[in-house]
Amino acid sequence: MLSPQWLDELRSRITLSSVIGRTTRLQKAGHEFKACCPFHNEKSPSFTVNDAKGFYHCFGCGAHGDVIRWMTDQRGLAFMDAVKELAAEAGMEVPASDPRAARQAEQRDSLHDVTKAAQDWFVAQLAGPEGARARDYLATRGFDAHTIQRFGFGYAPEARQALKSGLSQIPEDKLIEAGLRIAVEEREPYDRFRGRLMLPIEDPRGRVIGFGGRILDKSKTDAPKYLNSPDTPLFDKGRTLYNLHRAGPASRQTGRMIVVEGYMDVIALAAAGFAEAVAPLGTALTEHQLGLLWRMVETPILCFDGDAAGQRAAMRAISRALPLLKPAHSLRIVRLPPGLDPDDLIKQQGAPAMAALLDGARPLIDMLWEHERDALPLATPEDKAGLKARLLAHVETITDPDIRSLYRRELLERFSEHAFPRRESAGWRPAAPGRSPRGGDRAGGWRIAAPPPPVDATVRFVQRGAASQRDALAAAVLVGLARFPDRIAACAEALLRSDLPGSRHGALLDALLDAADLAQPLEFEAIGAIFAERGLALPSPADCGNIPYPFLRDGADRSRAGECLDAAIGLLVEGPALDAALARATEAADFDFDEQQRLRARRTELENRLKELMRA
């Protein structure tokens, strides 16, 4: 049974407008918020939210309640499910209903007393004679007295038994259970933190649950620079974000949550005015930590160091986030200048420089693409195939089907643009006798390119350099795909490498690709309906050059029509690239007759293949 006092505490720790604002658009109106009521249809707002009083009320339909009532009435949750969800957000524990859970809760409460006593003792040591070196270090970081007091800096002396002596009233087993002492076989237990600048790690309610310590003696290379408490009944580093209890309320004001690598970065940002910063505790971001962030804001900003280790940490976070992505929830990434952490950047360039970087945070997909694109050279077809495989491997980890489909399409488009850049086709022109294609005499003489061979009238529509005829071929290909929608997915990558996306037919191509992404059987009539919904229409026979392609004729052999469509797509995609390469080979100062002939032979091969299939 939940006591009224406990429920009141829960309500006081939750900002009602932040919960309602996740699904209802609120507008500030004095000390309240207003909105169109989510419980009934209305055109003018009569729904109000009052954080100070902790209730919402609609003057139209009479809906009224607190944050728990909102979760049950608007979200449809059971009462206990609503309480558990809100308690998790507030960092509160739902009172145990069984004796074992009650004992565990009592155990945790007693450990809170231990960690609180240890924190008070560390703070006192910082102010004492032994804390001089720690105070000197804090002075070099530029932290003022307010920052030192706010974040609870302390000091752990060098002696192995100092904490035990200072907290002699606390049993040894409690100090060990809280992670403050280390027990070893056949030896006396000793203090975990020694000769370190200390920081308390707090839960979402602001209670001390663990500690982090920075070593001060640079000569101690055999000890870690930063040391955190081990996992205890209070502290689970994979489920904890440093500074969340301060950053959460600040994020509701700024709409932003910043994730940095360590707690010193968090404190440097807070001292510079960025109060909405948190940090994981020596591990890559976990699923639970991402969930905590997404409860605060939809797109947290990862701000890791600009060195290689920082970028690896960012990629680990991206890999961890991909399976968890959901509509409107993602990550943005800030790449700091190489060699700088947030504290360095602020000291060297000031808080405005940091603000500018945060404002320019990049989407997750941009960082994923750039990381894989730059990971290895792309000198060979095998290299390019490797890049494509890595990108698709990331895509397959995404659980949400809509996001997975959109990521696949976006990354394949970027891959095609990068691996097969579009080139403007150029018409062939012979060089004047005795002159090089670039002008000027060329010593020793040279061969003039032979004129292109005559083209059969059947394939004149694909004559090199004839933009209008390529446009007709593109129109025919789109109609063919609409008639054979089962081939769209297989041809998507090739089509994205063609001129189609940037042409007047780009909207039709988008509609076809979107239809393929629906992952359901499609018929010609369904494609036409999708076009009609977007105000589009299939090209007419005249748009297609009135060419009798088999894939445009009713009753044509389906297998042969499909082969002809593939040949047309091949010519549409490869033809302009061949034209451009032929032009470069012809105009090059070191004219390559053999290369010119090879390119022409490939162009003729594509044309003849299409011609043969059209005549069949």
Side-chain angles (χ1 to χ4, degrees), residues 280-308:
L281 293 156
T283 62
L285 277 173
T286 65
E287 290 88 347
H288 186 82
Q289 289 168 334
L290 286 167
L292 292 175
L293 291 168
W294 279 328
R295 288 180 190 172
M296 302 296 170
V297 297
E298 292 183 341
T299 52
I301 300 173
L302 303 188
C303 181
F304 290 162
D305 294 354
D307 57 14

PDB file of all heavy atoms in Angstrom, residues 280-308:
ATOM      1  N   PRO A 280      28.877   9.453 -18.741  1.00  0.00           N
ATOM      2  CA  PRO A 280      28.927   8.071 -18.265  1.00  0.00           C
ATOM      3  C   PRO A 280      30.128   7.912 -17.345  1.00  0.00           C
ATOM      4  O   PRO A 280      30.957   8.815 -17.244  1.00  0.00           O
ATOM      5  CB  PRO A 280      29.084   7.265 -19.569  1.00  0.00           C
ATOM      6  CG  PRO A 280      29.720   8.210 -20.521  1.00  0.00           C
ATOM      7  CD  PRO A 280      29.229   9.592 -20.162  1.00  0.00           C
ATOM      8  N   LEU A 281      30.242   6.778 -16.721  1.00  0.00           N
ATOM      9  CA  LEU A 281      31.259   6.615 -15.684  1.00  0.00           C
ATOM     10  C   LEU A 281      32.254   5.537 -16.058  1.00  0.00           C
ATOM     11  O   LEU A 281      32.225   4.424 -15.542  1.00  0.00           O
ATOM     12  CB  LEU A 281      30.585   6.315 -14.346  1.00  0.00           C
ATOM     13  CG  LEU A 281      29.773   7.511 -13.823  1.00  0.00           C
ATOM     14  CD1 LEU A 281      28.687   7.064 -12.887  1.00  0.00           C
ATOM     15  CD2 LEU A 281      30.681   8.521 -13.163  1.00  0.00           C
ATOM     16  N   GLY A 282      33.120   5.874 -17.017  1.00  0.00           N
ATOM     17  CA  GLY A 282      34.184   4.963 -17.396  1.00  0.00           C
ATOM     18  C   GLY A 282      33.786   3.871 -18.357  1.00  0.00           C
ATOM     19  O   GLY A 282      34.577   2.984 -18.654  1.00  0.00           O
ATOM     20  N   THR A 283      32.564   3.909 -18.877  1.00  0.00           N
ATOM     21  CA  THR A 283      32.107   2.900 -19.829  1.00  0.00           C
ATOM     22  C   THR A 283      31.447   3.599 -21.007  1.00  0.00           C
ATOM     23  O   THR A 283      31.099   4.776 -20.943  1.00  0.00           O
ATOM     24  CB  THR A 283      31.079   1.950 -19.197  1.00  0.00           C
ATOM     25  OG1 THR A 283      29.920   2.708 -18.795  1.00  0.00           O
ATOM     26  CG2 THR A 283      31.652   1.254 -17.984  1.00  0.00           C
ATOM     27  N   ALA A 284      31.282   2.864 -22.102  1.00  0.00           N
ATOM     28  CA  ALA A 284      30.497   3.382 -23.218  1.00  0.00           C
ATOM     29  C   ALA A 284      29.044   3.521 -22.768  1.00  0.00           C
ATOM     30  O   ALA A 284      28.595   2.840 -21.830  1.00  0.00           O
ATOM     31  CB  ALA A 284      30.591   2.439 -24.413  1.00  0.00           C
ATOM     32  N   LEU A 285      28.316   4.407 -23.427  1.00  0.00           N
ATOM     33  CA  LEU A 285      26.911   4.589 -23.087  1.00  0.00           C
ATOM     34  C   LEU A 285      26.159   3.271 -23.189  1.00  0.00           C
ATOM     35  O   LEU A 285      26.290   2.532 -24.171  1.00  0.00           O
ATOM     36  CB  LEU A 285      26.268   5.608 -24.030  1.00  0.00           C
ATOM     37  CG  LEU A 285      26.455   7.085 -23.703  1.00  0.00           C
ATOM     38  CD1 LEU A 285      25.891   7.948 -24.828  1.00  0.00           C
ATOM     39  CD2 LEU A 285      25.787   7.446 -22.388  1.00  0.00           C
ATOM     40  N   THR A 286      25.367   2.966 -22.182  1.00  0.00           N
ATOM     41  CA  THR A 286      24.582   1.733 -22.177  1.00  0.00           C
ATOM     42  C   THR A 286      23.157   2.012 -22.631  1.00  0.00           C
ATOM     43  O   THR A 286      22.726   3.164 -22.726  1.00  0.00           O
ATOM     44  CB  THR A 286      24.547   1.127 -20.777  1.00  0.00           C
ATOM     45  OG1 THR A 286      23.832   2.025 -19.898  1.00  0.00           O
ATOM     46  CG2 THR A 286      25.958   0.904 -20.229  1.00  0.00           C
ATOM     47  N   GLU A 287      22.414   0.935 -22.893  1.00  0.00           N
ATOM     48  CA  GLU A 287      21.017   1.085 -23.293  1.00  0.00           C
ATOM     49  C   GLU A 287      20.227   1.821 -22.215  1.00  0.00           C
ATOM     50  O   GLU A 287      19.378   2.669 -22.527  1.00  0.00           O
ATOM     51  CB  GLU A 287      20.395  -0.290 -23.555  1.00  0.00           C
ATOM     52  CG  GLU A 287      20.912  -0.981 -24.805  1.00  0.00           C
ATOM     53  CD  GLU A 287      22.157  -1.806 -24.556  1.00  0.00           C
ATOM     54  OE1 GLU A 287      22.769  -1.661 -23.472  1.00  0.00           O
ATOM     55  OE2 GLU A 287      22.533  -2.608 -25.440  1.00  0.00           O
ATOM     56  N   HIS A 288      20.502   1.490 -20.971  1.00  0.00           N
ATOM     57  CA  HIS A 288      19.758   2.146 -19.892  1.00  0.00           C
ATOM     58  C   HIS A 288      20.090   3.634 -19.833  1.00  0.00           C
ATOM     59  O   HIS A 288      19.184   4.462 -19.632  1.00  0.00           O
ATOM     60  CB  HIS A 288      20.089   1.484 -18.555  1.00  0.00           C
ATOM     61  CG  HIS A 288      19.270   2.008 -17.409  1.00  0.00           C
ATOM     62  ND1 HIS A 288      17.994   1.575 -17.138  1.00  0.00           N
ATOM     63  CD2 HIS A 288      19.537   2.981 -16.484  1.00  0.00           C
ATOM     64  CE1 HIS A 288      17.520   2.229 -16.100  1.00  0.00           C
ATOM     65  NE2 HIS A 288      18.428   3.084 -15.677  1.00  0.00           N
ATOM     66  N   GLN A 289      21.344   3.985 -19.998  1.00  0.00           N
ATOM     67  CA  GLN A 289      21.723   5.401 -19.979  1.00  0.00           C
ATOM     68  C   GLN A 289      21.095   6.163 -21.136  1.00  0.00           C
ATOM     69  O   GLN A 289      20.661   7.304 -20.981  1.00  0.00           O
ATOM     70  CB  GLN A 289      23.241   5.530 -20.004  1.00  0.00           C
ATOM     71  CG  GLN A 289      23.905   5.097 -18.700  1.00  0.00           C
ATOM     72  CD  GLN A 289      25.409   4.950 -18.817  1.00  0.00           C
ATOM     73  OE1 GLN A 289      25.942   4.697 -19.899  1.00  0.00           O
ATOM     74  NE2 GLN A 289      26.111   5.108 -17.711  1.00  0.00           N
ATOM     75  N   LEU A 290      21.037   5.543 -22.312  1.00  0.00           N
ATOM     76  CA  LEU A 290      20.359   6.184 -23.442  1.00  0.00           C
ATOM     77  C   LEU A 290      18.884   6.398 -23.131  1.00  0.00           C
ATOM     78  O   LEU A 290      18.311   7.438 -23.477  1.00  0.00           O
ATOM     79  CB  LEU A 290      20.523   5.331 -24.699  1.00  0.00           C
ATOM     80  CG  LEU A 290      21.908   5.366 -25.352  1.00  0.00           C
ATOM     81  CD1 LEU A 290      22.049   4.246 -26.375  1.00  0.00           C
ATOM     82  CD2 LEU A 290      22.159   6.719 -26.006  1.00  0.00           C
ATOM     83  N   GLY A 291      18.280   5.420 -22.476  1.00  0.00           N
ATOM     84  CA  GLY A 291      16.879   5.584 -22.089  1.00  0.00           C
ATOM     85  C   GLY A 291      16.687   6.756 -21.134  1.00  0.00           C
ATOM     86  O   GLY A 291      15.714   7.512 -21.254  1.00  0.00           O
ATOM     87  N   LEU A 292      17.607   6.912 -20.175  1.00  0.00           N
ATOM     88  CA  LEU A 292      17.529   8.051 -19.263  1.00  0.00           C
ATOM     89  C   LEU A 292      17.629   9.368 -20.021  1.00  0.00           C
ATOM     90  O   LEU A 292      16.897  10.328 -19.739  1.00  0.00           O
ATOM     91  CB  LEU A 292      18.655   7.964 -18.227  1.00  0.00           C
ATOM     92  CG  LEU A 292      18.590   6.831 -17.198  1.00  0.00           C
ATOM     93  CD1 LEU A 292      19.854   6.829 -16.343  1.00  0.00           C
ATOM     94  CD2 LEU A 292      17.362   6.980 -16.316  1.00  0.00           C
ATOM     95  N   LEU A 293      18.523   9.421 -21.003  1.00  0.00           N
ATOM     96  CA  LEU A 293      18.694  10.652 -21.781  1.00  0.00           C
ATOM     97  C   LEU A 293      17.444  10.962 -22.586  1.00  0.00           C
ATOM     98  O   LEU A 293      16.997  12.117 -22.650  1.00  0.00           O
ATOM     99  CB  LEU A 293      19.901  10.508 -22.709  1.00  0.00           C
ATOM    100  CG  LEU A 293      21.268  10.452 -22.026  1.00  0.00           C
ATOM    101  CD1 LEU A 293      22.335  10.018 -23.019  1.00  0.00           C
ATOM    102  CD2 LEU A 293      21.631  11.820 -21.437  1.00  0.00           C
ATOM    103  N   TRP A 294      16.870   9.938 -23.233  1.00  0.00           N
ATOM    104  CA  TRP A 294      15.696  10.168 -24.075  1.00  0.00           C
ATOM    105  C   TRP A 294      14.461  10.536 -23.261  1.00  0.00           C
ATOM    106  O   TRP A 294      13.497  11.052 -23.812  1.00  0.00           O
ATOM    107  CB  TRP A 294      15.441   8.937 -24.928  1.00  0.00           C
ATOM    108  CG  TRP A 294      16.328   8.901 -26.154  1.00  0.00           C
ATOM    109  CD1 TRP A 294      16.786   9.977 -26.862  1.00  0.00           C
ATOM    110  CD2 TRP A 294      16.859   7.748 -26.809  1.00  0.00           C
ATOM    111  NE1 TRP A 294      17.575   9.561 -27.914  1.00  0.00           N
ATOM    112  CE2 TRP A 294      17.642   8.201 -27.903  1.00  0.00           C
ATOM    113  CE3 TRP A 294      16.766   6.381 -26.576  1.00  0.00           C
ATOM    114  CZ2 TRP A 294      18.299   7.323 -28.766  1.00  0.00           C
ATOM    115  CZ3 TRP A 294      17.421   5.514 -27.432  1.00  0.00           C
ATOM    116  CH2 TRP A 294      18.170   5.982 -28.514  1.00  0.00           C
ATOM    117  N   ARG A 295      14.465  10.247 -21.976  1.00  0.00           N
ATOM    118  CA  ARG A 295      13.355  10.735 -21.145  1.00  0.00           C
ATOM    119  C   ARG A 295      13.429  12.247 -20.967  1.00  0.00           C
ATOM    120  O   ARG A 295      12.415  12.890 -20.722  1.00  0.00           O
ATOM    121  CB  ARG A 295      13.395  10.061 -19.777  1.00  0.00           C
ATOM    122  CG  ARG A 295      12.988   8.609 -19.780  1.00  0.00           C
ATOM    123  CD  ARG A 295      13.071   8.044 -18.381  1.00  0.00           C
ATOM    124  NE  ARG A 295      12.921   6.596 -18.368  1.00  0.00           N
ATOM    125  CZ  ARG A 295      13.104   5.842 -17.305  1.00  0.00           C
ATOM    126  NH1 ARG A 295      13.442   6.407 -16.157  1.00  0.00           N
ATOM    127  NH2 ARG A 295      12.954   4.526 -17.376  1.00  0.00           N
ATOM    128  N   MET A 296      14.641  12.780 -21.077  1.00  0.00           N
ATOM    129  CA  MET A 296      14.827  14.216 -20.877  1.00  0.00           C
ATOM    130  C   MET A 296      14.625  14.995 -22.176  1.00  0.00           C
ATOM    131  O   MET A 296      13.897  15.985 -22.207  1.00  0.00           O
ATOM    132  CB  MET A 296      16.230  14.497 -20.328  1.00  0.00           C
ATOM    133  CG  MET A 296      16.535  13.785 -19.018  1.00  0.00           C
ATOM    134  SD  MET A 296      15.448  14.360 -17.685  1.00  0.00           S
ATOM    135  CE  MET A 296      15.836  13.164 -16.405  1.00  0.00           C
ATOM    136  N   VAL A 297      15.304  14.571 -23.238  1.00  0.00           N
ATOM    137  CA  VAL A 297      15.208  15.250 -24.532  1.00  0.00           C
ATOM    138  C   VAL A 297      15.189  14.194 -25.636  1.00  0.00           C
ATOM    139  O   VAL A 297      15.628  13.067 -25.438  1.00  0.00           O
ATOM    140  CB  VAL A 297      16.384  16.231 -24.765  1.00  0.00           C
ATOM    141  CG1 VAL A 297      16.386  17.352 -23.753  1.00  0.00           C
ATOM    142  CG2 VAL A 297      17.716  15.490 -24.738  1.00  0.00           C
ATOM    143  N   GLU A 298      14.704  14.560 -26.808  1.00  0.00           N
ATOM    144  CA  GLU A 298      14.589  13.605 -27.902  1.00  0.00           C
ATOM    145  C   GLU A 298      15.917  13.364 -28.609  1.00  0.00           C
ATOM    146  O   GLU A 298      16.150  12.273 -29.129  1.00  0.00           O
ATOM    147  CB  GLU A 298      13.537  14.080 -28.910  1.00  0.00           C
ATOM    148  CG  GLU A 298      12.121  14.050 -28.359  1.00  0.00           C
ATOM    149  CD  GLU A 298      11.088  14.442 -29.390  1.00  0.00           C
ATOM    150  OE1 GLU A 298      11.485  15.072 -30.404  1.00  0.00           O
ATOM    151  OE2 GLU A 298       9.902  14.121 -29.212  1.00  0.00           O
ATOM    152  N   THR A 299      16.782  14.383 -28.653  1.00  0.00           N
ATOM    153  CA  THR A 299      18.066  14.215 -29.351  1.00  0.00           C
ATOM    154  C   THR A 299      19.206  14.742 -28.488  1.00  0.00           C
ATOM    155  O   THR A 299      19.650  15.877 -28.647  1.00  0.00           O
ATOM    156  CB  THR A 299      18.067  14.946 -30.716  1.00  0.00           C
ATOM    157  OG1 THR A 299      17.660  16.312 -30.525  1.00  0.00           O
ATOM    158  CG2 THR A 299      17.145  14.266 -31.695  1.00  0.00           C
ATOM    159  N   PRO A 300      19.692  13.945 -27.541  1.00  0.00           N
ATOM    160  CA  PRO A 300      20.860  14.355 -26.752  1.00  0.00           C
ATOM    161  C   PRO A 300      22.070  14.581 -27.661  1.00  0.00           C
ATOM    162  O   PRO A 300      22.164  14.016 -28.753  1.00  0.00           O
ATOM    163  CB  PRO A 300      21.088  13.162 -25.812  1.00  0.00           C
ATOM    164  CG  PRO A 300      19.834  12.372 -25.854  1.00  0.00           C
ATOM    165  CD  PRO A 300      19.214  12.608 -27.182  1.00  0.00           C
ATOM    166  N   ILE A 301      22.994  15.413 -27.193  1.00  0.00           N
ATOM    167  CA  ILE A 301      24.200  15.741 -27.953  1.00  0.00           C
ATOM    168  C   ILE A 301      25.388  15.027 -27.328  1.00  0.00           C
ATOM    169  O   ILE A 301      25.692  15.227 -26.153  1.00  0.00           O
ATOM    170  CB  ILE A 301      24.450  17.255 -27.967  1.00  0.00           C
ATOM    171  CG1 ILE A 301      23.282  17.989 -28.617  1.00  0.00           C
ATOM    172  CG2 ILE A 301      25.749  17.579 -28.693  1.00  0.00           C
ATOM    173  CD1 ILE A 301      23.388  19.510 -28.512  1.00  0.00           C
ATOM    174  N   LEU A 302      26.072  14.190 -28.110  1.00  0.00           N
ATOM    175  CA  LEU A 302      27.310  13.568 -27.656  1.00  0.00           C
ATOM    176  C   LEU A 302      28.462  14.496 -27.993  1.00  0.00           C
ATOM    177  O   LEU A 302      28.641  14.884 -29.150  1.00  0.00           O
ATOM    178  CB  LEU A 302      27.533  12.223 -28.342  1.00  0.00           C
ATOM    179  CG  LEU A 302      26.442  11.158 -28.194  1.00  0.00           C
ATOM    180  CD1 LEU A 302      26.936   9.833 -28.765  1.00  0.00           C
ATOM    181  CD2 LEU A 302      26.011  10.983 -26.753  1.00  0.00           C
ATOM    182  N   CYS A 303      29.247  14.856 -26.982  1.00  0.00           N
ATOM    183  CA  CYS A 303      30.352  15.796 -27.171  1.00  0.00           C
ATOM    184  C   CYS A 303      31.611  15.147 -26.621  1.00  0.00           C
ATOM    185  O   CYS A 303      31.943  15.328 -25.453  1.00  0.00           O
ATOM    186  CB  CYS A 303      30.041  17.113 -26.455  1.00  0.00           C
ATOM    187  SG  CYS A 303      31.307  18.370 -26.631  1.00  0.00           S
ATOM    188  N   PHE A 304      32.288  14.378 -27.469  1.00  0.00           N
ATOM    189  CA  PHE A 304      33.474  13.659 -27.040  1.00  0.00           C
ATOM    190  C   PHE A 304      34.733  14.335 -27.565  1.00  0.00           C
ATOM    191  O   PHE A 304      34.684  15.128 -28.503  1.00  0.00           O
ATOM    192  CB  PHE A 304      33.422  12.212 -27.519  1.00  0.00           C
ATOM    193  CG  PHE A 304      32.379  11.389 -26.800  1.00  0.00           C
ATOM    194  CD1 PHE A 304      31.933  10.191 -27.326  1.00  0.00           C
ATOM    195  CD2 PHE A 304      31.832  11.807 -25.606  1.00  0.00           C
ATOM    196  CE1 PHE A 304      30.979   9.433 -26.674  1.00  0.00           C
ATOM    197  CE2 PHE A 304      30.879  11.062 -24.941  1.00  0.00           C
ATOM    198  CZ  PHE A 304      30.452   9.873 -25.473  1.00  0.00           C
ATOM    199  N   ASP A 305      35.854  14.001 -26.959  1.00  0.00           N
ATOM    200  CA  ASP A 305      37.121  14.641 -27.324  1.00  0.00           C
ATOM    201  C   ASP A 305      37.446  14.421 -28.798  1.00  0.00           C
ATOM    202  O   ASP A 305      37.016  13.436 -29.407  1.00  0.00           O
ATOM    203  CB  ASP A 305      38.255  14.086 -26.467  1.00  0.00           C
ATOM    204  CG  ASP A 305      38.091  14.452 -24.992  1.00  0.00           C
ATOM    205  OD1 ASP A 305      37.164  15.224 -24.688  1.00  0.00           O
ATOM    206  OD2 ASP A 305      38.877  13.971 -24.159  1.00  0.00           O
ATOM    207  N   GLY A 306      38.251  15.350 -29.338  1.00  0.00           N
ATOM    208  CA  GLY A 306      38.589  15.287 -30.750  1.00  0.00           C
ATOM    209  C   GLY A 306      39.676  14.301 -31.091  1.00  0.00           C
ATOM    210  O   GLY A 306      40.005  14.142 -32.275  1.00  0.00           O
ATOM    211  N   ASP A 307      40.264  13.610 -30.104  1.00  0.00           N
ATOM    212  CA  ASP A 307      41.317  12.647 -30.408  1.00  0.00           C
ATOM    213  C   ASP A 307      40.705  11.321 -30.862  1.00  0.00           C
ATOM    214  O   ASP A 307      39.488  11.138 -30.893  1.00  0.00           O
ATOM    215  CB  ASP A 307      42.224  12.437 -29.199  1.00  0.00           C
ATOM    216  CG  ASP A 307      41.464  11.973 -27.959  1.00  0.00           C
ATOM    217  OD1 ASP A 307      40.293  11.551 -28.094  1.00  0.00           O
ATOM    218  OD2 ASP A 307      42.031  12.037 -26.856  1.00  0.00           O
ATOM    219  N   ALA A 308      41.585  10.396 -31.236  1.00  0.00           N
ATOM    220  CA  ALA A 308      41.113   9.117 -31.762  1.00  0.00           C
ATOM    221  C   ALA A 308      40.278   8.360 -30.728  1.00  0.00           C
ATOM    222  O   ALA A 308      39.265   7.736 -31.066  1.00  0.00           O
ATOM    223  CB  ALA A 308      42.306   8.268 -32.203  1.00  0.00           C
TER     224      ALA A 308
END
